[in-house]
Amino acid sequence: MTQTATPEKTGARTDEAATLIGDARERIDALDDRIIGLIQERMAVSAVIQEARITSGGRRVNLAREMEVLGHYSDALGKPGTTLAMTMLELCRGRI
């Protein structure tokens, strides 16, 4: 159920701005839902990789690969990207 965006709820000073903010927040909420779904999917794929690695006698974590991921996020998003990647990698480790 969508609530009506009002200046009081959004911090806007006009009804027009409140509507714009409310609509943008709905889009952000939808994007967040998609991002969460993608992270959950990544966690599942990571578990498959870890299980295959362990079953073949390898280690659960491949640090060289994690460094590649950290670099990719850092290149794309700067320093906050590194923090985001670290959190994502933490979520994806040790689920098996």
Side-chain angles (χ1 to χ4, degrees):
M1 181 170 82
T2 303
Q3 295 181 0
T4 303
T6 64
E8 296 79 27
K9 291 180 184 176
T10 63
R13 297 201 174 223
T14 65
D15 289 338
E16 188 175 284
T19 298
L20 181 102
I21 291 167
D23 291 346
R25 284 181 178 172
E26 284 183 24
R27 180 143 189 242
I28 285 173
D29 290 345
L31 289 167
D32 285 343
D33 288 343
R34 288 173 48 199
I35 291 167
I36 290 166
L38 289 169
I39 291 171
Q40 290 170 331
E41 182 178 349
R42 190 189 194 285
M43 290 168 65
V45 172
S46 182
V48 169
I49 292 168
Q50 289 175 53
E51 186 170 342
R53 193 180 296 122
I54 291 168
T55 300
S56 71
R59 298 179 62 167
R60 179 175 54 87
V61 176
N62 181 328
L63 296 178
R65 173 62 180 150
E66 288 197 356
M67 293 306 295
E68 288 176 13
V69 172
L70 290 169
H72 182 70
Y73 275 71
S74 178
D75 290 346
L77 303 171
K79 187 176 178 185
T82 302
T83 303
L84 178 62
M86 287 295 294
T87 300
M88 184 193 58
L89 289 169
E90 182 180 346
L91 285 167
C92 292
R93 285 187 204 120
R95 298 293 179 178
I96 60 172

